[in-house]
Amino acid sequence: MGQQPREQWGTRAGFLMAAIGSAVGLGNIWRFPYIAYDNGGGAFLLPYLIALLTAGIPLLILEYSIGHRYRSSAPLAYRRISRPAEAIGWWQVAICFVIAIYYAVIVAWAVRYTWFAVGQQWGDDPDGFFFNDFLQVSDGPGMVSGFVSGVAWPLVAVWALVLAVLALGVRKGIEKANKIFIPLLVVLFVLLVIQALTLDGATAGLNALFTPNWGAMLDGGVWIAAYGQIFFSLSIGFAIMVTYASYLRRKVNLTGSAMVAGFANSSFELLAGIGVFAALGFMAATAGTAVDEVATAGIGLAFVAFPQIISTLPLGGALFGVLFFGCLVIAGLSSLISIVQVIVSAVQDRTGLGRVQTVLLVGGATALASVLLFPTPQGLYFLDTFDHFINQYGIALAGLVMVLVFGWILRRLPLFEKHANAISSVRLDWWWKIALGGITPVLLGFMMWDSLRAELTSSYEDYPEGFLLVAGWGVAIGAIVFGIVVACVPWKRADTIARHDAERVAAQPDGEAPAQLDEPDKIAAPRTSDNDEEGKGH
């Protein structure tokens, strides 16, 4: 089957909308506010800003440069840099598969809760309603038993929408969807924040969030939390930005785009902090308690604390609820689309299948795994364990390995610096190489060591060891094994492309690499058709 011509974004604005849509996800709304509050409040914003400038944006520029230079999915792009590096790309593809299957179910919960908010159907006990009535959670983790239809049908609807957008392609599907999603998300969240700021007790919530604890600046854990938040919130480390940048036109401002996406993501996080803590201040005032007694993060904030807030609002509770859960749905959908696109792009490059065929095959398999595993009484335990282990020992570890391989072992940072400088408005210099070659790997390495030390001291959430070995360590290690195994499978087309790259680089004056290498489909098609290397035409 002939290789399909690579798609392109219609406009730079379309790419930026998609990149921002990928970065702005559920974690921005329910993770950042609590992380900031718990790590020095207003004082946390300084290490957070430093982390953005020394790790977040430099990593974005690196991923943009890789994707743009090689115009390929992550596995093929990394293989064109160095053949063994392909394993990192397939590892990141496996990470995206794991994240996609559980991320979709959280979006499905938000879909149902958007409707529940209209009539406040959780009643007087949002906690019991969520865990017992809605999710029907079992007493403990174990084998799947039963099916929760109230979660299954919105999950099917979420997957149907995501696969439809992906099937339409980069320009007609992903770009157009994000041009709708992102402005709508901003409008809805601004309305939510305005309503939250009018609530009694909102000032107390904002004081709790922004009152600086300057002493926390001396705590190394606060700085690690800042870098961790930046790393997890920008969609870096699991090939999304490599994939998205591969669809850019030849002339594009890479460094400027990275800065716009990075600051837009952080601005939304700050807006989320204002809205969430204004609402938590109201909740604390209503209950007659301190803000620190109601401040929480994650699923508990979204599906327990906020329903409590909505139920106690004197007026406009339904509107507030629809706005909040509607924002979760939109933020989740834009991120989920980007995650699944990594898998689709990689399989397209590997097999030469068309987009619709790949989406139906790969997206359908991903959706099937999601629907079979998570709308069950044990689904929440799988979700919690997958999320913890694939984030700590998947995304962060893959990002660390990527920086070490490309920066320390292969020493390719100067190459990507030249590539970015050739087409960008803001030139990279020594600061970029120091950030990626020194600051980022050291801090990510410390995060890994600290996390592993805690992990080996006690079982995560006191779950049974057997369950953690399968659903935790098994999934994290399995993603690594998958990457290595798939990278060992012969890929003749990739070898042809790599030879062509080497010829192009060797032909450059003074040994300088071209600003951008040829597109894969323009390299391999003539050669494979002449030699019938992959059995095309059968």
Side-chain angles (χ1 to χ4, degrees):
M1 181 175 294
Q3 187 69 20
Q4 304 295 314
R6 193 155 194 85
E7 301 171 88
Q8 287 188 342
W9 300 106
T11 62
R12 177 171 174 256
F15 162 71
L16 282 172
M17 287 287 186
I20 293 168
S22 174
V24 174
L26 302 174
N28 297 68
I29 299 173
W30 72 31
R31 188 176 190 268
F32 171 79
Y34 183 78
I35 293 293
Y37 164 76
D38 202 38
N39 287 277
F44 177 78
L45 298 180
L46 179 58
Y48 174 80
L49 179 61
I50 293 173
L52 174 65
L53 296 175
T54 61
I57 290 176
L59 274 167
L60 273 181
I61 294 171
L62 174 63
E63 295 202 358
Y64 284 2
S65 298
I66 293 172
H68 183 256
R69 175 176 166 79
Y70 295 100
R71 298 185 65 77
S72 311
S73 63
L76 182 53
Y78 298 166
R79 186 182 177 110
R80 295 172 76 179
I81 298 171
S82 175
R83 183 167 182 170
E86 181 191 346
I88 303 173
W90 288 112
W91 178 15
Q92 292 175 327
V93 169
I95 289 169
C96 286
F97 173 82
V98 175
I99 294 173
I101 63 174
Y102 73 76
Y103 200 89
V105 79
I106 304 175
V107 180
W109 296 348
V111 170
R112 287 299 308 277
Y113 265 70
T114 304
W115 170 249
F116 290 159
V118 176
Q120 299 175 19
Q121 296 180 35
W122 46 75
D124 298 327
D125 184 15
D127 186 279
F129 176 83
F130 178 67
F131 292 105
N132 299 326
D133 299 340
F134 179 54
L135 296 184
Q136 300 175 27
V137 177
S138 62
D139 293 334
M143 296 296 292
V144 170
S145 63
F147 206 62
V148 182
S149 60
V151 177
W153 67 259
L155 180 58
V156 171
V158 166
W159 276 114
L161 177 59
V162 168
L163 297 186
V165 170
L166 289 171
L168 288 172
V170 169
R171 186 180 301 188
K172 294 181 180 179
I174 300 173
E175 183 172 344
K176 283 190 175 181
N178 279 285
K179 282 184 175 179
I180 297 171
F181 287 160
I182 303 308
L184 180 60
L185 176 62
V186 172
V187 170
L188 291 179
F189 213 83
V190 167
L191 291 174
L192 176 73
V193 170
I194 291 172
Q195 188 173 10
L197 290 174
T198 64
L199 300 175
D200 294 334
T203 303
L206 295 180
N207 287 338
L209 174 62
F210 289 114
T211 299
N213 175 15
W214 297 111
M217 298 280 288
L218 302 176
D219 183 356
V222 170
W223 289 84
I224 295 298
Y227 277 85
Q229 176 61 28
I230 284 294
F231 192 80
F232 290 123
S233 71
L234 279 178
S235 293
I236 45 182
F238 51 120
I240 291 176
M241 293 309 168
V242 174
T243 303
Y244 270 11
S246 73
Y247 301 112
L248 283 167
R249 298 175 185 273
R250 288 186 176 274
K251 296 296 183 181
V252 66
N253 185 353
L254 290 183
T255 58
S257 298
M259 290 181 178
V260 170
F263 281 108
N265 174 74
S266 295
S267 298
F268 188 87
E269 288 195 318
L270 189 60
L271 186 66
I274 293 171
V276 167
F277 266 81
L280 291 176
F282 166 76
M283 182 178 178
T286 303
T289 61
V291 175
D292 61 357
E293 294 185 28
V294 297
T296 184
I299 291 171
L301 171 71
F303 298 101
V304 177
F306 258 79
Q308 289 176 338
I309 294 168
I310 294 164
S311 295
T312 52
L313 286 173
L315 293 172
L319 175 61
F320 189 84
V322 169
L323 288 174
F324 177 75
F325 291 111
C327 287
L328 287 185
V329 171
I330 296 169
L333 282 173
S334 60
S335 295
L336 181 59
I337 287 168
S338 69
I339 294 167
V340 182
Q341 175 58 26
V342 173
I343 313 171
V344 170
S345 178
V347 174
Q348 270 192 288
D349 276 353
R350 187 66 177 82
T351 64
L353 290 173
R355 168 167 284 275
V356 175
Q357 292 171 294
T358 309
V359 168
L360 291 177
L361 177 66
V362 178
T366 308
L368 182 63
S370 179
V371 172
L372 290 177
L373 188 59
F374 292 101
T376 65
Q378 293 77 27
L380 182 61
Y381 299 109
F382 282 106
L383 187 156
D384 185 34
T385 307
F386 282 11
D387 180 63
H388 174 74
F389 280 86
I390 208 66
N391 273 283
Q392 295 296 328
Y393 312 109
I395 297 175
L397 184 57
L400 173 61
V401 170
M402 184 178 73
V403 172
L404 290 177
V405 169
F406 296 148
W408 289 13
I409 299 174
L410 299 177
R411 300 182 181 278
R412 296 300 170 88
L413 293 185
L415 172 66
F416 297 123
E417 178 188 2
K418 288 181 182 179
H419 177 82
N421 283 341
I423 54 177
S424 300
S425 59
V426 180
R427 290 184 60 82
L428 304 179
D429 210 332
W430 57 267
W431 65 271
W432 187 71
K433 285 177 285 191
I434 289 177
L436 286 183
I439 297 173
T440 299
V442 168
L443 284 166
L444 281 175
F446 183 83
M447 285 169 58
M448 286 292 97
W449 174 81
D450 190 56
S451 181
L452 268 173
R453 185 186 59 176
E455 207 75 57
L456 297 175
T457 302
S458 60
S459 297
Y460 177 66
E461 296 291 341
D462 292 326
Y463 290 155
E465 291 292 339
F467 179 76
L468 292 179
L469 283 173
V470 175
W473 294 111
V475 168
I477 296 172
I480 299 174
V481 172
F482 174 85
I484 295 171
V485 170
V486 175
C488 291
V489 176
W491 190 353
K492 294 182 179 180
R493 175 175 170 269
D495 293 335
T496 302
I497 294 170
R499 285 196 301 270
H500 180 90
D501 289 346
E503 293 167 1
R504 283 289 306 274
V505 171
Q508 290 298 303
D510 301 323
E512 291 184 4
Q516 185 179 46
L517 297 174
D518 291 337
E519 297 180 29
D521 60 282
K522 295 178 180 177
I523 298 170
R527 299 195 177 195
T528 54
S529 60
D530 289 342
N531 300 325
D532 199 26
E533 289 181 344
E534 295 183 300
K536 294 177 182 178
H538 287 268

